[in-house]
Amino acid sequence: MSFGQYKAVKGSQWKERVTKKSKPNEVGVQIGMLERGGKDFELKPIRNQTILLNIGKTESVDSILEKAVKKYLQFYPKSHDDGASYYLAFRDGRIIDLLSGTDEPFTIIKYKENIGKDYSRIFLYLVKEEKEDAAEHQEDDLLPDFPLTTLFSDPHNFIDCFSIDELQKTANKECDSSQKNESQIKKYENICEVLSDLNKNIDDADIMQDIDDADIMQMMQLYIIVRRSAPVARYLALWQREVNTKGSANKRVVVKFQGENGIDSGAMAKEFFAIVVRLIREHFCPDGSPVDSMLYVQNGYFKACGEIIAASLVQGGPAPFCFHSNVFKMLTAINSIDIRKLDLHIHFTESEKQLIQRISDDPSNSSYSDTILEHGYTGLVSADHTTDITRTLMVSITNRRLCYLKEFLSGLELFGIFEALQRNPLLFEPLFITSSERAVDANYVASLLIPNHSDENSSKRIVEEKIMDNFVDFLMHLEDNKVNVTGHEILANDENDCHLISCTPPDLTPAGVLGWLTGQKHSPIFGNDLQISVQFDHNCLENNPKHSICYPVVGACGRVVTLPTKHMEKENNFRSIFLTAICNAQAFGLH
């Protein structure tokens, strides 16, 4: 059976399986969780943490609540609080008990009739019940017994992430040190707090899920349709056009890769950011500094790069890691740079230092003449004027860089990134400087795998644990050995029959496997958990007796991979099948 035939068979099996599972009396609704936050301590949804729950059309609220709590805490275990109890609520925090305006008990079928939405667009929320003494304590903390004027006078002080205790401490410090500058009041402890707040600046942050009109929905998104292998200029041109069409870049990015069937629920946007941010780093900041090109100022590419980096940071994409540490310092203090007081060791990259030093050692060398003249030196080129020549080069390089960085910053103003960066430069520095990038290794990817094992001491459990060992060994093999695929890979139909098939060379590194499984090749900088659920299919031969091989099934948006146990128990088979799958199923779609 060829890979194409296998793909068609698995597609039809998947459709049949889904059709069989759908019960006429069961429907799927979205379940999220509300938590208190913001300066008003209001209930707000936790972003990007929802599940699809199948419930009966006439099921009671208590039964729905029990199912919702169990499944939600399985998917998001960090939300678990021992001894906590929950209740079911609407988006505005109202407890779900009766249908609005009636004495009739709540059922999902009646609620759907009242609001006129599809079941899949209905959102219900879990809310953690608060103890009365804790609530009273929180109310007491909120009483304005001390001056909070500087905390609330500027909406960009980003106090949403503070707990009540932190607000109390901050305000007390203000009372004790009344001469402190307002910008010093709010200091974040980590970058996750900053980005979590900035994420709230997206236009669709609180209302996207309540929109039914497709035209309105489209206007609140930046919808990018692009080839996966497009050049960087193509990515930037499409970005600029979409921003100009929608009138603002302050929107959530939704991506469609041409020729792929995937629907973007977050993973495709993250992969888009991973591709474009890497291209920006390679083409626009190859030496840790913006490339010397006034063309990119004129056509707006530098600004577009800044917008994409800002959107990537706020929407869960990778950090840029594009600037030399001296360039980043210049970025954060761009309005206070004195070009007559430049220091070779403070304001320049390593390659620029080497260039200036070489010219300083031998300014009369004819090979440097064009460089000296291009940087605006109009005096006599000789050893007697070395200081003038080198200072002119330093001023010229700095002036050009400041021009490029201002364009970057105009893009970084998106979502308030630039203002937050100026307030918290030390927190943002690890996200921008080239030396801070952390490689995703085999141990990190292995730590994300959460196997859904069978019962302890069962025969299935033994097989599953062996397959997990094969998975970890495969990741370590990719890390320890440079594995290359030159357009072909072995496809094993059975143990004695192998042949070659064409495939696009993938990224065969632990980071590449992480990208294939989740849509992102980087560790999260947002503070949210990244976990990959590993499921095991023990029934592939029963479902399809005539087949001889199966491949992993990946749900990148749901971060789920299903491994066929009958074919991947042996280490060599696991490696061959996994390589074939990742080679032929890099695109989003049903594979």
Side-chain angles (χ1 to χ4, degrees):
M1 181 186 294
S2 68
F3 189 87
Q5 292 171 328
Y6 167 78
K7 177 180 174 182
V9 170
K10 293 297 288 185
S12 61
Q13 289 177 355
W14 173 83
K15 186 175 181 180
E16 291 175 4
R17 191 156 55 247
V18 172
T19 303
K20 290 178 183 178
K21 283 185 178 180
S22 59
K23 300 178 182 179
N25 195 41
E26 278 198 354
V27 295
V29 297
Q30 302 290 335
I31 301 293
M33 181 173 284
L34 300 178
E35 66 175 2
R36 294 197 179 276
K39 61 186 179 182
D40 296 325
F41 210 57
E42 296 177 345
L43 286 172
K44 294 184 179 180
I46 300 177
R47 295 197 56 78
N48 302 320
Q49 287 195 13
T50 59
I51 59 171
L52 182 67
L53 182 68
N54 290 324
I55 61 175
K57 292 182 179 179
T58 59
E59 196 164 346
S60 67
V61 173
D62 290 340
S63 178
I64 296 173
L65 175 61
E66 182 179 356
K67 287 183 178 179
V69 171
K70 181 178 180 181
K71 185 172 182 179
Y72 190 91
L73 296 182
Q74 284 178 342
F75 272 80
Y76 304 107
K78 280 210 169 183
S79 299
H80 180 68
D81 185 0
D82 291 337
S85 57
Y86 300 84
Y87 62 86
L88 211 58
F90 295 111
R91 168 65 182 80
D92 57 6
R94 288 181 295 119
I95 297 176
I96 297 177
D97 185 10
L98 303 175
L99 291 172
S100 299
T102 71
D103 295 330
E104 186 177 353
F106 176 91
T107 58
I108 200 66
I109 187 171
K110 291 291 185 180
Y111 182 66
K112 175 186 180 297
E113 292 174 359
N114 289 347
I115 64 173
K117 286 185 178 181
D118 292 335
Y119 287 112
S120 61
R121 293 191 58 77
I122 294 177
F123 283 77
L124 306 178
Y125 294 90
L126 296 172
V127 183
K128 190 182 301 182
E129 291 186 355
E130 299 174 351
K131 296 180 181 179
E132 293 182 2
D133 56 346
E136 292 173 0
H137 175 68
Q138 290 166 352
E139 292 175 0
D140 292 338
D141 281 347
L142 284 172
L143 293 176
D145 295 331
F146 38 78
L148 290 173
T149 53
T150 55
L151 278 175
F152 293 99
S153 59
D154 185 353
H156 297 290
N157 272 329
F158 307 122
I159 64 170
D160 286 355
C161 290
F162 268 130
S163 68
I164 301 304
D165 289 338
E166 288 172 322
L167 275 177
Q168 179 81 50
K169 292 176 183 178
T170 304
N172 288 340
K173 287 180 181 178
E174 180 183 351
C175 295
D176 296 335
S177 305
S178 58
Q179 295 181 353
K180 281 188 177 180
N181 186 280
E182 178 181 343
S183 63
Q184 295 177 313
I185 297 300
K186 169 64 179 179
K187 295 295 183 182
Y188 285 99
E189 293 184 1
N190 57 66
I191 193 63
C192 301
E193 291 183 354
V194 184
L195 296 181
S196 294
D197 270 356
L198 298 182
N199 182 264
K200 299 171 186 176
N201 293 339
I202 303 175
D203 280 352
D204 66 350
D206 291 323
I207 61 175
M208 284 296 294
Q209 63 193 27
D210 297 322
I211 295 178
D212 291 318
D213 192 307
D215 293 333
I216 298 177
M217 175 81 79
Q218 188 175 13
M219 285 304 296
M220 300 190 69
Q221 299 173 340
L222 290 183
Y223 190 46
I224 309 293
I225 305 177
V226 65
R227 288 183 292 113
R228 187 181 291 272
S229 58
V232 64
R234 175 70 175 169
Y235 278 104
L236 295 181
L238 291 173
W239 176 273
Q240 289 176 318
R241 180 188 179 278
E242 186 69 6
V243 171
N244 291 334
T245 301
K246 299 298 172 60
S248 168
N250 190 43
K251 304 178 187 298
R252 187 160 299 281
V253 177
V254 178
V255 176
K256 166 75 174 177
F257 288 112
Q258 288 178 331
E260 302 181 17
N261 297 324
I263 299 174
D264 189 5
S265 297
M268 296 177 75
K270 290 179 181 178
E271 184 156 356
F272 166 82
F273 286 128
I275 294 171
V276 182
V277 169
R278 176 182 57 81
L279 292 174
I280 289 173
R281 184 166 56 243
E282 294 174 353
H283 291 269
F284 293 91
C285 300
D287 188 37
S289 178
V291 66
D292 188 6
S293 173
M294 288 296 175
L295 172 63
Y296 297 152
V297 176
Q298 179 271 329
N299 61 19
Y301 277 6
F302 279 140
K303 180 180 180 181
C305 289
E307 291 175 340
I308 292 173
I309 288 172
S312 178
L313 288 173
V314 172
Q315 299 183 40
F321 303 117
C322 58
F323 292 139
H324 187 280
S325 58
N326 289 344
V327 176
F328 178 78
K329 291 174 183 176
M330 187 176 291
L331 180 77
T332 57
I334 195 166
N335 295 321
S336 59
I337 301 295
D338 189 342
I339 60 173
R340 286 174 294 277
K341 296 180 180 179
L342 298 174
D343 188 303
L344 187 63
H345 301 289
I346 296 177
H347 297 106
F348 299 92
T349 66
E350 301 305 322
S351 61
E352 291 165 346
K353 293 176 187 177
Q354 294 173 8
L355 173 64
I356 294 172
Q357 190 61 52
R358 288 198 302 269
I359 294 177
S360 176
D361 293 341
D362 187 12
S364 301
N365 191 323
S366 59
S367 62
Y368 300 138
S369 298
D370 289 343
T371 301
I372 293 172
L373 295 177
E374 286 173 0
H375 283 282
Y377 179 73
T378 56
L380 182 64
V381 179
S382 68
D384 295 335
H385 297 83
T386 299
T387 301
D388 290 338
I389 293 172
T390 55
R391 299 296 297 178
T392 300
L393 261 65
M394 292 167 69
V395 169
S396 175
I397 292 172
T398 302
N399 271 335
R400 294 187 185 190
R401 179 181 297 152
L402 290 174
C403 177
Y404 307 147
L405 289 179
K406 286 179 180 178
E407 288 293 303
F408 265 104
L409 288 177
S410 65
L412 287 176
E413 290 177 355
L414 187 63
F415 306 118
I417 286 286
F418 176 42
E419 186 171 355
L421 186 152
Q422 285 187 313
R423 291 175 179 269
N424 305 274
L426 294 179
L427 294 182
F428 276 89
E429 185 174 5
L431 304 183
F432 280 85
I433 63 174
T434 54
S435 60
S436 296
E437 184 173 9
R438 295 178 298 171
V440 171
D441 59 13
N443 286 333
Y444 175 71
V445 178
S447 70
L448 304 179
L449 303 176
I450 309 297
N452 185 16
H453 281 310
S454 301
D455 294 338
E456 191 78 31
N457 298 324
S458 65
S459 59
K460 289 183 178 180
R461 178 66 173 261
I462 296 173
V463 174
E464 292 165 359
E465 290 176 345
K466 174 59 178 173
I467 290 176
M468 287 304 299
D469 290 342
N470 292 340
F471 204 158
V472 175
D473 291 343
F474 176 72
L475 293 171
M476 293 180 176
H477 173 73
L478 294 181
E479 181 174 298
D480 297 338
N481 303 277
K482 188 174 182 180
V483 181
N484 292 318
V485 180
T486 58
H488 294 86
E489 187 51 59
I490 293 178
L491 171 65
N493 280 338
D494 55 47
E495 295 182 359
N496 302 314
D497 179 20
C498 297
H499 65 277
L500 295 177
I501 60 172
S502 298
C503 68
T504 304
D507 180 5
L508 294 178
T509 64
V513 174
L514 178 64
W516 187 57
L517 296 176
T518 67
Q520 65 182 72
K521 298 181 180 181
H522 61 283
S523 57
I525 58 176
F526 223 133
N528 54 318
D529 291 330
L530 180 60
Q531 296 181 339
I532 302 168
S533 176
V534 182
Q535 309 290 334
F536 302 95
D537 181 5
H538 293 275
N539 302 315
C540 63
L541 291 177
E542 289 81 351
N543 294 334
N544 185 10
K546 296 182 179 181
H547 84 288
S548 58
I549 192 169
C550 273
Y551 296 90
V553 178
V554 174
C557 291
R559 299 169 184 167
V560 179
V561 57
T562 303
L563 304 176
T565 58
K566 300 294 184 183
H567 307 279
M568 304 186 78
E569 183 177 359
K570 295 181 179 180
E571 183 177 0
N572 290 337
N573 288 350
F574 184 100
R575 187 175 300 181
S576 176
I577 291 172
F578 204 97
L579 280 174
T580 303
I582 196 173
C583 286
N584 289 273
Q586 297 174 68
F588 282 87
L590 183 60
H591 296 279

